[in-house]
Amino acid sequence: MIEAAVHLAAQPRLDTLVTELHTESRRLRTDYAGVAWIGDRPAAGSGMAGPDYTRRAVDAVLFLPDTHWYDVDTLDDVEVQVTAGLLQVAPTARQSQGLVGALAEPTVDFFEHPEGEPGVGLCLQLRGEIWSNLGVSYRVSVLCRREALLRVGDTDTEDGADTDTEADVDVDGQVSAA
């Protein structure tokens, strides 16, 4: 079984109320951002991930660590935008960049709460095949009616602990939280 670890590190979530240009209705805009480290996390001192040149499949469906929980019945006019960019390719032993492989276009979808609580949350899907460790920055913007929000998502704790989530993802897309 081929697998690659995926580690999500969220940035602060931004929640704003916006007015639509054409309808002048008030809507909730939430921006989620962070980094998905695929393979190993980078070293704290150098910022570089190790040169693990092994062909690995990536098919990760991961809840955003700070996702809000939404009422699925009021998401009929929701608009979602996702962007992602490659941050790092680990260097080879000769200090050149290694092979990347390929990652398909990232997608975002709403999934039911994993513990059966009411509402749906956002999941980021990354899939492809990689040859080295890499980082992918992501930004997801959600625009919806204010009443669609059931519960506010988690944020950083006061003691400075982060909201990293980690999962091992196998070639079939099965996710197990670590």
Side-chain angles (χ1 to χ4, degrees):
M1 180 176 300
I2 301 170
E3 60 181 39
V6 179
H7 317 275
L8 285 182
Q11 290 292 309
R13 180 189 60 233
L14 301 176
D15 293 308
T16 54
L17 287 176
V18 297
T19 303
E20 281 194 354
L21 180 63
H22 300 291
T23 65
E24 294 191 18
S25 62
R26 302 284 288 170
R27 298 186 29 111
L28 172 65
R29 177 181 170 157
T30 302
D31 292 301
Y32 303 91
V35 176
W37 295 108
I38 304 172
D40 292 331
R41 294 181 195 201
S46 69
M48 297 300 290
D52 182 7
Y53 294 101
T54 306
R55 188 175 185 169
R56 294 168 285 174
V58 176
D59 193 3
V61 178
L62 301 167
F63 276 100
L64 296 182
D66 55 346
T67 186
H68 286 321
W69 296 96
Y70 299 92
D71 178 7
V72 71
D73 294 330
T74 57
L75 289 175
D76 55 337
D77 62 348
V78 68
E79 295 179 55
V80 179
Q81 183 184 68
V82 60
T83 57
L86 186 64
L87 289 178
Q88 176 185 18
V89 177
T92 66
R94 295 185 181 146
Q95 299 304 313
S96 63
Q97 287 188 322
L99 300 172
V100 175
L103 288 177
E105 180 179 340
T107 59
V108 172
D109 208 345
F110 292 94
F111 284 88
E112 292 179 355
H113 195 285
E115 296 171 2
E117 291 188 35
V120 292
L122 284 169
C123 284
L124 175 66
Q125 181 172 12
L126 299 171
R127 57 188 162 70
E129 198 167 278
I130 63 170
W131 286 90
S132 62
N133 300 308
L134 43 103
V136 176
S137 66
Y138 67 87
R139 175 169 298 281
V140 178
S141 296
V142 176
L143 190 63
C144 64
R145 293 181 295 207
R146 292 187 293 181
E147 57 271 15
L149 182 64
L150 287 177
R151 288 184 317 283
V152 173
D154 293 335
T155 58
D156 289 349
T157 60
E158 291 180 17
D159 64 348
D162 61 27
T163 57
D164 273 8
T165 60
E166 183 176 323
D168 291 320
V169 183
D170 68 27
V171 72
D172 297 320
Q174 300 301 310
V175 179
S176 59

